[in-house]
Amino acid sequence: MVLKYVSLFLSLALASLHAREEDPSSFVDSLETEMEKYSQIATDTRQNVDYMPYVISVMTSDEFQKLGLLTLRDAITLIPGVDLSLGMAGVKNPIFRGSNPYAMGQSKLMIDGVVVNDQLFGAYNQYLDIPLDIVERIEVVRGPGSLENHVNAYAGSICVITKANNKNGTEKKNTLFAAQGSDKYGMGGFTAAYSENGIDLSSDLFYQRHDKKLPAGPDMYGSSGDAPLWLRNYGLGLNGRYKELSFKGRFAKNESGVSYGQSFALSNDPTDYLNVANNSMELSYGFDLAKGVKGEVAAGYFDETRELQNKVMPDGSSMMMGGMMVTVPKGLYFLVDYKEHTFNERFELKFSSIENHTITTGVTLFQSHIDTKRAKTSMDTMQTFTRTDLLSNNGRDHASYYLDDLINLSEKTSIQLGIKFDHSNDVKDQFSPRFALVHRYNDDNIYKLMYTRSYREPSWREQYLTGVHRFQAMLNVRPESVDAFEAAYIHKFDIRNDLKFNAFYLKNKDQIHAQNATSTYSNNGDNELYGVEAEYTTHLSDPCKLYLNYSYVDGRNTSDSLANSAQNMAKAYGIYTVNENLALSSVVKYVGEKNRIAGDSRTKLNEYTTIDLSAVYTLADDLTLTLNLKNIGDTVYYLPSHQNTYPRDFVQEGRSYLLRLTKRF
């Protein structure tokens, strides 16, 4: 409501500048144009998320900076109900509401509207190291569905809007940033924008590195030592717009250590590595078909190159070959050379000409293909190799058709009706209906009811992995599906203080994981999850902001247990603006104890609490200095390991520091 009147005021003010010299019809045309402009800005920036038919959390660049948050991973772990699991080669995977912690594709990540999940794992781990210096805003949908109609998300979705692509109507500033911290961490980069004669160009670039390592072991072979977690990471974003024609491109590469091993065995070879490179591009064109009918066509491309060298068995260990136990005196090396690419095309229409209806319909096509899928093993320190295919298939074609209608039944009540149909050449067709109701009882109280059916298709690793590996695959594995029921309540004390509460029930079917006797990816039954999430935002005084959230989940996510997921989590941060130059903040995270999978005799993983402190000092010339101290209590805490791998789990980082410098132009 407030935004509506602000938009109207701005529209009238802008239009009135010309009204004295123009006839009344010209004045009305100008008014309509400005109203449409500000309505589009409100739509693009999604300012009224409380009125949208989803459970949404939003964080902005101002909060990132004052809290001293460094990466995208740091930000999303502050969201209610979001935890982390740790998989092969140290991949940290976000878990939404406890949903299947052994699957990497439970959620979708979009950067400036482009999905960056790969096909091999369904993962996006390499993007979680993106420094928040290039990010303007993060929108997280908890639960199935997405703010982008054409994107299918199973347990949650993360929408990242970079500073180069923000559409909030304000002037984009150029920035330089640099950082230095523990474990020889170093980072630098810039964001830049240029606008002239209707042409908008923007870009961001960063490079970061560290030499982090953490004690690990014993592993399944009894080896202990330091897990190599070093990182060399860069990213480049290029964007251009001329009228309704736009281009987005992002190019990234991660070079890292193999961490806890591709097969959960600690390597003693310092030359082992995992390199992942990604390129994504999208060209789109928007047009007006008629009054109240807008269209968009888009074509995109995404690729991933993955190279791995890992000593997966130590010297003198034994393995089964041809029905016989064979000793490998020089250990066993595993190497991967893999590349995939995906082309996608989208055509979308949005109708606002029908009174009280906003209808969006479209089709999205994907053609995914494997260019290279070589795997090699060596038992003589890479003098000779045995070559095999990593996967048994070469690609997947996918078509998605969607229709969504947002209906304003009255000034206070709206409903969303949606249907999505997905067809792939290698998995069963899927129908995904959605219904949501949003009722604004008054300016202070908002109610939401939502039902969504969604699914997750098997990743290529889960369906087509071939050869002898830690895990095996099944060709006939079926997609996971979920029926999600959600209810939410928002109470606004005023424009800056509110209380949000939501409850959910998730009925999951055909869950895919390899936590069984044969370590084979398969559909391992159905389960149910239910829980609540609460958020409270208050300004204790004008300069002091406090945010708290609590989440509780129960039920089953694997076999007959809630495994590798915390039943209780609480997160909080406080920001105190001392004056126009200095801000102090603190972040507190509590993660409750975690149960083991059925059959794992280890005791529960202990609960833990971490505290971070930050100080941000800004000079008059837009130069900002940030000091961040993470885990100031040097809390020893762990992420759970898979059964029969590392019996003592994975110890995480202790106390560390980070110093950052940002200059705006």
Side-chain angles (χ1 to χ4, degrees), residues 218-221 263-264 470 641-647 650:
D219 63 9
M220 67 181 74
Y221 298 103
S263 296
F264 294 112
R470 166 74 183 176
S641 62
H642 289 207
Q643 186 179 14
N644 300 321
T645 58
Y646 287 77
F650 304 120

Side-chain angles (χ1 to χ4, degrees), residues 104 117-123 304 306 336 338 340 370 390-391 458-463 465:
M104 297 186 188
N117 294 61
D118 63 27
Q119 294 284 348
L120 179 60
F121 298 105
E304 176 168 298
R306 183 175 291 264
V336 169
Y338 171 85
E340 68 174 57
I370 303 170
L390 183 67
L391 302 170
S459 68
W460 284 345
R461 177 181 68 155
E462 293 168 331
Q463 193 167 11
L465 189 66

Side-chain angles (χ1 to χ4, degrees), residues 193-363:
Y194 170 82
S195 182
E196 188 73 27
N197 297 326
I199 299 176
D200 296 318
L201 301 174
S202 58
S203 178
D204 58 65
L205 173 70
F206 69 86
Y207 174 79
Q208 59 183 330
R209 57 160 292 164
H210 64 67
D211 291 328
K212 186 184 300 183
K213 56 186 177 182
L214 289 172
D219 63 9
M220 67 181 74
Y221 298 103
S223 301
S224 297
D226 289 328
L229 306 174
W230 59 266
L231 177 71
R232 310 288 183 266
N233 171 228
Y234 76 81
L236 170 66
L238 298 173
N239 311 278
R241 175 180 291 273
Y242 177 68
K243 295 183 178 179
E244 298 301 320
L245 182 67
S246 66
F247 169 80
K248 303 172 188 174
R250 186 154 296 277
F251 314 93
K253 186 171 184 179
N254 267 46
E255 300 177 352
S256 65
V258 293
S259 185
Y260 303 97
Q262 176 71 12
S263 296
F264 294 112
L266 194 63
S267 173
N268 62 359
D269 189 335
T271 68
D272 282 356
Y273 63 87
L274 171 62
N275 293 345
V276 181
N278 297 101
N279 302 298
S280 65
M281 291 168 279
E282 182 181 88
L283 184 67
S284 63
Y285 178 72
F287 54 91
D288 293 325
L289 275 182
K291 185 175 177 60
V293 183
K294 292 183 176 293
E296 184 180 29
V297 292
Y301 171 81
F302 173 87
D303 69 35
E304 176 168 298
T305 301
R306 183 175 291 264
E307 298 175 347
L308 169 76
Q309 174 193 301
N310 186 200
K311 189 174 183 180
V312 295
M313 296 179 68
D315 297 348
S317 53
S318 300
M319 61 184 296
M320 187 67 67
M321 292 183 62
M324 299 177 58
M325 190 64 69
V326 176
T327 300
V328 283
K330 296 186 178 180
L332 178 70
Y333 280 83
F334 180 60
L335 296 92
V336 169
D337 183 10
Y338 171 85
K339 184 174 182 179
E340 68 174 57
H341 74 255
T342 296
F343 289 99
N344 66 81
E345 305 83 35
R346 177 167 52 88
F347 175 72
E348 184 174 281
L349 291 174
K350 180 170 288 187
F351 301 84
S352 57
S353 53
I354 303 174
E355 186 176 3
N356 296 323
H357 290 258
T358 301
I359 301 172
T360 304
T361 185
V363 57

Side-chain angles (χ1 to χ4, degrees), residues 480-634:
E480 296 181 340
S481 65
V482 60
D483 289 288
F485 302 85
E486 300 174 273
Y489 168 67
I490 299 173
H491 179 74
K492 291 180 170 292
F493 300 100
D494 54 47
I495 196 171
R496 298 195 304 168
N497 303 282
D498 56 50
L499 174 67
K500 301 179 181 181
F501 178 87
N502 68 277
F504 59 87
Y505 170 75
L506 309 175
K507 188 173 181 60
N508 299 291
K509 298 180 180 179
D510 295 325
Q511 298 295 277
I512 304 171
H513 63 77
Q515 305 306 304
N516 48 53
T518 59
S519 296
T520 300
Y521 288 108
S522 56
N523 299 108
N524 287 277
D526 307 337
N527 58 57
E528 298 176 355
L529 292 167
Y530 52 89
V532 296
E533 297 161 346
E535 299 176 85
Y536 179 58
T537 303
T538 184
H539 287 73
L540 301 176
S541 60
D542 190 57
C544 184
K545 177 181 178 179
L546 180 64
Y547 169 80
L548 307 96
N549 72 54
Y550 167 74
S551 59
Y552 170 85
V553 64
D554 204 350
R556 300 176 300 169
N557 61 5
T558 308
S559 301
D560 294 320
S561 61
L562 180 69
N564 282 16
S565 299
Q567 192 174 56
N568 295 277
M569 288 189 290
K571 304 159 188 181
Y573 66 76
I575 301 174
Y576 180 69
T577 305
V578 179
N579 53 46
E580 62 181 7
N581 300 109
L582 179 63
L584 304 175
S585 68
S586 178
V587 174
V588 181
K589 297 180 188 176
Y590 165 80
V591 179
E593 62 183 14
K594 298 178 181 179
N595 291 320
R596 307 291 187 176
I597 191 172
D600 189 337
S601 60
R602 290 178 295 172
T603 59
K604 294 180 179 180
L605 197 66
N606 290 337
E607 63 187 7
Y608 65 87
T609 301
T610 61
I611 302 174
D612 305 339
L613 296 177
S614 294
V616 181
Y617 188 77
T618 303
L619 302 175
D621 58 353
D622 273 343
L623 182 67
T624 300
L625 180 66
T626 303
L627 175 62
N628 176 240
L629 300 175
K630 294 181 70 67
N631 192 5
I632 61 169
D634 205 21

Side-chain angles (χ1 to χ4, degrees), residues 363-374:
V363 57
T364 303
L365 306 175
F366 297 88
Q367 304 87 42
S368 301
H369 193 268
I370 303 170
D371 300 313
T372 308
K373 52 179 181 179
R374 289 189 294 267

